[in-house]
Amino acid sequence: MTYQEVLENARKNLAPRCRVCRECDGRACRGEVPGAGGKGTGAAFIRNVEKLREITLNLDVLYDNRGQDSRASFWGREFAAPVFAAPIGGMAHNYTPAMDEAAWTKAVVDGCADAGVLAFTGDGVNPELLELPLRWMKERGGLGVPTIKPWGMETVLEKVEKAKAADPPAIAMDVDSAGLPFLAAQGGDAGPKSAKALRQMAEAAGRPFIVKGIMTVEGARKALEAGAWGIVVSNHGGRVLDHTPATCEVLPEIAAAMGGKLRLFVDGGVRTGVDAFKMLALGADAVLIGRPLVTAAYGGGAEGVRIYMEKVIAELRDTMKMTGCAVIGDITERKIRR
Ligand SMILES: Cc1cc2nc3c(=O)[nH]c(=O)nc-3n(C[C@H](O)[C@H](O)[C@H](O)COP(=O)(O)O)c2cc1C
């Protein structure tokens, strides 16, 4: 299967909820939540893509070429590149019945594992959203990071115990889900979390705890104080608050303040290996990709996910070659212009 075939299949399978645009930039689907779009005017989703596109690269091929090594280590495991799947859940709610939650979560967990990387996985009011991917990641030796929504603490702690049974290397919470337009309507009790509640979750997790949905230095400091090992700089793909800055705009200041104290992941608008390179240059330790993986899975199942991830990793290596980077650590702010 080629990537073009994956896209053609996806266009049929995702219609009318996602148009599989030439560029997945949030314009055609603005305001479509549920759906694939951004909340309100869709400005935050659109800005994630636009601001990342504005950053340019410093071409430099005058060096002694020893090849490009994109590998990166997290939690004592080695990955083909610091590029992971972002947690996405709710196929019935957001997309089409061409793929159910079981097929989607299996495709993304297996496809990422086959490409030498890993998937963060989602959660929802329906317990299947958390539990199905736990089953697949357990089959792959705990290869995945379950991401639990900020429910009331009793529910959170129950879900942490379920997640631990799959033996993942880390557990995350998408704290920004407090702003999801449909969660309350579905009967969920997700809301803002105090430092005390976060610390309780970090302790219950008993392994690296990642707070997803941080957009300010202050938020990053609070996550650190609450015992987080890492954060995901994220605005949930523009789905929780209209008119936030782009993630690539806030990442450098968060990296300057917190680099070395917290591991920094980022998502929002990453579509290619070139985009991943830009985020790494802005200070991220690793990059998460969301919507394009849904397209890949609807177009080709686990194979589609593997093909897409391998394409992104190849693009990242090519960008490293053309900017004079031999290893991921060579990707610094000097390699880009903004
Ligand atoms: C349909 C949909 C469902 C999502 N579900 C979750 C989820 O269950 N948990 C979570 O942490 N983030 C969820 N997200 C947000 C993604 O993890 C990620 O932050 C966002 O998609 C990144 O932006 P991108 O799609 O532009 O790459 C979801 C996003 C979409 C589009």
Side-chain angles (χ1 to χ4, degrees):
M1 193 184 291
T2 65
Y3 185 55
Q4 275 317 312
E5 287 165 345
V6 170
L7 291 180
E8 279 158 30
N9 292 339
R11 227 160 253 133
K12 283 181 224 137
N13 292 337
L14 279 164
R17 298 306 290 276
C18 166
R19 292 101 178 146
V20 188
C21 301
R22 182 170 270 273
E23 211 167 352
C24 173
D25 62 4
R27 287 182 188 281
C29 57
R30 58 173 83 213
E32 294 179 10
V33 186
K39 186 174 175 178
T41 66
F45 177 3
I46 294 168
R47 193 174 179 99
N48 279 346
V49 176
E50 267 183 358
K51 290 292 164 186
L52 196 54
R53 193 191 296 141
E54 279 172 19
I55 296 167
T56 53
L57 303 172
N58 290 332
L59 187 152
D60 172 16
V61 284
L62 296 184
Y63 63 93
D64 181 16
N65 190 13
R66 288 172 285 117
Q68 283 69 45
D69 182 354
S70 64
R71 285 174 301 170
S73 289
F74 295 90
W75 316 292
R77 297 175 188 223
E78 190 175 274
F79 297 98
V83 180
F84 302 126
I88 289 200
M91 293 303 112
H93 191 57
N94 292 303
Y95 292 101
T96 69
M99 200 164 214
D100 63 16
E101 205 68 28
W104 148 249
T105 50
K106 182 136 180 64
V108 75
V109 169
D110 281 349
C112 284
D114 293 343
V117 294
L118 146 164
F120 283 57
T121 60
D123 185 18
V125 174
N126 176 352
E128 278 202 335
L129 269 62
L130 179 80
E131 290 167 21
L132 283 165
L134 290 174
R135 195 185 301 167
W136 320 133
M137 68 177 81
K138 195 169 180 187
E139 282 176 11
R140 304 292 300 230
L143 201 56
V145 177
T147 308
I148 296 170
K149 299 224 173 286
W151 314 110
M153 277 320 279
E154 200 180 315
T155 311
V156 166
L157 296 175
E158 268 170 34
K159 293 206 176 212
V160 167
E161 289 313 310
K162 284 195 178 136
K164 280 162 77 173
D167 202 21
I171 295 181
M173 173 180 272
D174 52 322
V175 289
D176 56 359
S177 274
L180 273 177
F182 53 83
L183 219 51
Q186 287 181 337
D189 61 351
K193 282 278 154 288
S194 67
K196 187 173 157 224
L198 279 189
R199 180 165 292 285
Q200 203 183 350
M201 174 159 178
E203 279 165 12
R207 66 203 68 212
F209 174 53
I210 301 173
V211 180
K212 176 173 181 280
I214 298 291
M215 288 293 285
T216 61
V217 172
E218 204 190 339
R221 280 214 182 96
K222 288 188 211 168
L224 179 68
E225 281 160 23
W229 167 90
I231 57 170
V232 185
V233 174
S234 174
N235 56 14
H236 218 99
R239 291 168 71 77
V240 292
L241 179 65
D242 205 354
H243 291 287
T244 70
T247 52
C248 68
E249 289 177 294
V250 299
L251 174 61
E253 64 208 43
I254 295 176
M258 307 311 290
K261 297 182 197 143
L262 276 174
R263 298 307 286 266
L264 299 182
F265 296 70
V266 66
D267 68 22
V270 176
R271 303 289 174 260
T272 64
V274 175
D275 293 336
F277 180 98
K278 292 177 183 179
M279 289 295 205
L280 296 171
L282 292 171
D285 294 306
V287 172
L288 272 49
I289 301 179
R291 296 171 179 92
L293 282 156
V294 176
T295 306
Y298 269 76
E303 189 187 355
V305 169
R306 178 186 57 75
I307 289 170
Y308 173 72
M309 272 300 193
E310 287 178 350
K311 178 176 107 55
V312 169
I313 295 167
E315 289 160 351
L316 172 63
R317 289 207 189 104
D318 180 59
T319 313
M320 291 170 69
K321 181 170 108 189
M322 296 307 293
T323 54
C325 299
V327 293
I328 293 295
D330 292 339
I331 306 175
T332 64
E333 193 149 14
R334 289 193 309 111
K335 303 292 177 183
I336 55 170
R337 289 173 79 90
R338 45 177 187 118

